[in-house]
Amino acid sequence: MTETHRLLIALSSITLYVLWVAVIFYKCNKKRCATNVSTDKKNSTNVDSSDSKNQTLIVYASQTGTAEKIARAKAAALAESEAISLISMASLNIAMLGNVSKALFVVSTYGEGEPPDAGTRFYHALQRAKKSGATPLSNLSFEVIGLGSREYKQFCRFAVSLYENMRLLGGTPLTSLTTLDSGKGEHLAHLDSLAKDSSAQIQPWVLEHRKQLNQDDTRGLYAITLKQPQSAHENGAAPIAWEAGDIIDIYPDMAHEKEPSSEFLTKPLTKPLRKLIGRSYTIASAPEEDDLKLVVREVRKAKGELGYGSGFLTHKLLQNQRAYAQIRKNSNAVITDTQCPLVLIAAGSGIAGVRAQLAKRAMLNESGPVWIFYGERDSELDNVLSKALSPFHNAPCIHKTSTIFSKSSLGSATESKKYVQHMIVEQAEALKAFLSSSSGKTISSNSGKAPNSSKSINSDASPYTGRDGQIYVCGNFDGMGKGVDAALRDVLGEAQYSTFIEKRRYHRDLY
């Protein structure tokens, strides 16, 4: 064999090898591209595209979890006869509605006629689409169920607006608008099928412990611990589960009736429950603590009589006496990222939600830093923060606590009271740095021990650089809630404020 033959054989071998590698690369690249396209399609919509035109899309926009609960009940009821997709309005866009033939909306109205946080982005999208004059929803049939309270002038305002906008964009209503007054319990009839879920059943609890946290007997603040009786698990029922941010609905009247049968407690919620009046409270404990904790403000009416729910929990419910309640999922207030910087803001009994969020992080081996803002009335009578947060008041994850007392903030008779929202504005730069994903700055504490002060517990935030911060607010909507929201708009700026809502980094647990 000549040298030329050897060279030709070598070149042929190399050429065949290169072609073989090229074929393999082409096939792998084609497969990867197909996978990416499939993933993109899957991520772009929560609607199953295999037969989407025959699907019913159930959409919920909920601020405190009630609308979500009804939507899940509807989904469970319809799933036996229809193909169902269930999504939050936060994930919805108009194009998705074009892929289905039928949509059911269950929405609450927040504050004075506003959409819930989860519905804000879609609401603005509808407004833009309406201005275009197009009718992209001409093949869609829809139904709207609105939740609200007739105590507000703008009863079910968001549901009304949604219904009208869907019609203007070409949608065909299946029924007239349904509005439910949650304050009167009109929504309870829609929860029948949820009885299959143990967390949605009425369950017995017993009072294990109750302690007044403050020293003001005219407006007592109480820490309350409830425990499930052993008998609740005798029939094989699973332990009740909840998450930090969830709500418990208490039914005081049931405690004064004869012992309800196990059949009543496990059957679907129908006529008997509609007659009950409940009161809702944010759970103050993490499920890992086993016991369910509450922080309840004693309410007294004009003539001195106790409030219906608060009076029951703070005075009338006896040690080891049974109370009946059900857990309500409040997805809007559940924070899944435990490593990001977290700002917790509350006033008064809103410390309940703060305690639960703090407990969730404090019980982990590693968690992101927490900055707590808390407002109360009197520094001498209401200095309750450490007691309310115990045993997590010195948890390593607490980066800083900032407290203010409105009565003690008065420097003179002519000076205006200061509340927690004023403290947010005063610490605007430090707050923005703490929330920024690009910031690992140490936030210095204020010097001195004035009643309105900030205390830095763990100043090293650098391990959490690169994670976007989140905000959780718990308390009264009309007072603290509105003021804090305005302060955050001012501090963050309109664009960043909108980003926090759209990215679900702003969690409002207000009542």
Side-chain angles (χ1 to χ4, degrees):
M1 181 180 293
T2 65
E3 188 67 30
T4 301
H5 288 145
R6 291 193 186 93
L7 182 60
L8 289 172
I9 291 171
L11 288 172
S12 298
S13 299
I14 293 172
T15 301
L16 289 172
Y17 176 77
V18 171
L19 288 172
W20 178 66
V21 170
V23 169
I24 292 176
F25 177 79
Y26 172 76
K27 288 183 176 180
C28 290
N29 189 58
K30 184 177 181 181
K31 183 178 180 181
R32 183 169 63 251
C33 290
T35 301
N36 288 341
V37 169
S38 175
T39 301
D40 289 343
K41 288 182 178 179
K42 183 177 179 181
N43 290 339
S44 66
T45 176
N46 291 318
V47 182
D48 182 3
S49 59
S50 60
D51 192 19
S52 59
K53 286 297 181 183
N54 294 321
Q55 286 190 61
T56 296
L57 182 63
I58 299 181
V59 183
Y60 60 86
S62 185
Q63 193 69 34
T64 61
T66 304
E68 179 182 354
K69 192 170 186 178
I70 291 177
R72 292 187 180 280
K74 285 288 187 181
L78 295 173
E80 297 179 3
S81 58
E82 302 180 37
I84 299 295
S85 290
L86 175 72
I87 65 168
S88 166
M89 191 173 280
S91 304
L92 182 67
N93 58 56
I94 293 175
M96 291 169 64
L97 294 175
N99 292 329
V100 297
S101 59
K102 180 180 173 184
L104 168 63
F105 297 89
V106 186
V107 301
S108 61
T109 293
Y110 188 53
E112 296 294 341
E114 305 166 27
D117 292 339
T120 301
R121 185 175 60 84
F122 183 70
Y123 172 76
H124 292 311
L126 286 179
Q127 297 300 101
R128 290 192 297 270
K130 185 172 66 173
K131 291 179 180 178
S132 71
T135 55
L137 305 180
S138 57
N139 295 319
L140 179 73
S141 298
F142 72 93
E143 181 181 351
V144 177
I145 298 173
L147 279 71
S149 172
R150 287 190 171 86
E151 293 180 1
Y152 292 91
K153 293 180 180 179
Q154 304 290 349
F155 175 61
C156 287
R157 168 73 177 276
F158 178 54
V160 172
S161 174
L162 176 64
Y163 186 89
E164 290 301 320
N165 283 328
M166 295 296 291
R167 270 197 327 107
L168 290 172
L169 294 178
T172 302
L174 291 167
T175 65
S176 58
L177 172 65
T178 300
T179 57
L180 303 172
D181 187 345
S182 299
K184 294 182 178 179
E186 293 176 359
H187 62 294
L188 297 176
H190 291 264
L191 298 175
D192 294 359
S193 60
L194 266 182
K196 297 175 183 177
D197 178 3
S198 63
S199 67
Q201 298 169 7
I202 294 181
Q203 295 286 341
W205 299 81
V206 295
L207 175 63
E208 185 176 53
H209 182 71
R210 178 170 57 213
K211 180 181 179 181
Q212 185 171 345
L213 297 173
N214 66 349
Q215 300 178 53
D216 186 344
D217 292 333
T218 65
R219 44 188 297 280
L221 188 69
Y222 289 82
I224 294 169
T225 301
L226 302 176
K227 195 176 187 71
Q228 278 214 285
Q230 188 62 37
S231 60
H233 308 299
E234 289 177 355
N235 296 324
I240 298 299
W242 70 88
E243 295 183 82
D246 285 347
I247 290 168
I248 187 168
D249 295 322
I250 305 282
Y251 299 98
D253 283 349
M254 290 186 69
H256 306 303
E257 299 173 354
K258 66 179 182 179
E259 188 77 9
S261 65
S262 58
E263 180 185 1
F264 172 78
L265 294 174
T266 57
K267 71 180 182 179
L269 309 179
T270 52
K271 290 183 179 179
L273 183 55
R274 295 180 202 174
K275 298 178 182 179
L276 296 176
I277 298 175
R279 290 293 184 268
S280 303
Y281 299 92
T282 297
I283 297 172
S285 53
E288 292 79 8
E289 296 181 78
D290 295 328
D291 296 335
L292 190 147
K293 299 181 185 298
L294 303 172
V295 179
V296 179
R297 172 76 71 191
E298 171 190 276
V299 175
R300 290 192 178 273
K301 300 179 182 179
K303 295 183 179 180
E305 66 269 30
L306 291 166
Y308 175 67
S310 68
F312 172 74
L313 289 170
T314 62
H315 291 278
K316 297 177 182 178
L317 183 63
L318 303 178
Q319 190 85 13
N320 295 320
Q321 180 186 359
R322 291 195 174 198
Y324 292 89
Q326 60 186 151
I327 304 294
R328 172 154 43 96
K329 181 63 61 181
N330 186 16
S331 300
N332 182 63
V334 174
I335 302 170
T336 56
D337 186 352
T338 57
Q339 303 302 314
C340 70
L342 177 62
V343 175
L344 300 175
I345 305 170
S349 59
I351 196 63
V354 167
R355 188 194 180 281
Q357 301 292 348
L358 175 62
K360 179 178 180 177
R361 291 193 171 211
M363 298 179 79
L364 298 174
N365 291 329
E366 292 184 2
S367 60
V370 175
W371 186 353
I372 299 171
F373 287 85
Y374 182 60
E376 255 293 0
R377 181 180 294 181
D378 191 298
S379 60
E380 294 183 2
L381 301 178
D382 300 311
N383 194 4
V384 301
L385 186 60
S386 294
K387 289 185 284 186
L389 299 179
S390 178
F392 308 112
H393 54 292
N394 286 320
C397 64
I398 299 180
H399 175 80
K400 188 176 183 180
T401 59
S402 299
T403 57
I404 191 166
F405 299 91
S406 58
K407 185 177 179 180
S408 305
S409 68
L410 294 173
S412 66
T414 58
E415 189 175 346
S416 299
K417 291 182 179 180
K418 288 188 176 181
Y419 300 97
V420 66
Q421 55 264 36
H422 298 109
M423 191 163 45
I424 290 171
V425 174
E426 289 171 0
Q427 304 200 44
E429 293 305 315
L431 180 60
K432 286 190 289 185
F434 181 77
L435 289 168
S436 173
S437 62
S438 62
S439 172
K441 298 178 181 178
T442 296
I443 302 174
S444 60
S445 62
N446 293 346
S447 60
K449 297 183 179 180
N452 308 317
S453 63
S454 294
K455 178 183 179 183
S456 182
I457 295 178
N458 177 13
S459 60
D460 184 12
S462 58
Y464 310 98
T465 299
R467 303 190 78 97
D468 290 326
Q470 299 195 38
I471 301 170
Y472 170 86
V473 185
C474 188
N476 183 270
F477 172 80
D478 286 328
M480 185 273 297
K482 288 182 178 179
V484 166
D485 188 65
L488 289 173
R489 281 178 183 268
D490 182 46
V491 169
L492 298 173
E494 200 62 40
Q496 188 71 359
Y497 173 88
S498 297
T499 298
F500 266 78
I501 288 182
E502 291 176 7
K503 300 294 184 182
R504 306 193 78 172
R505 293 166 54 195
Y506 180 22
H507 310 267
R508 291 191 282 182
D509 184 4
L510 303 173
Y511 41 85

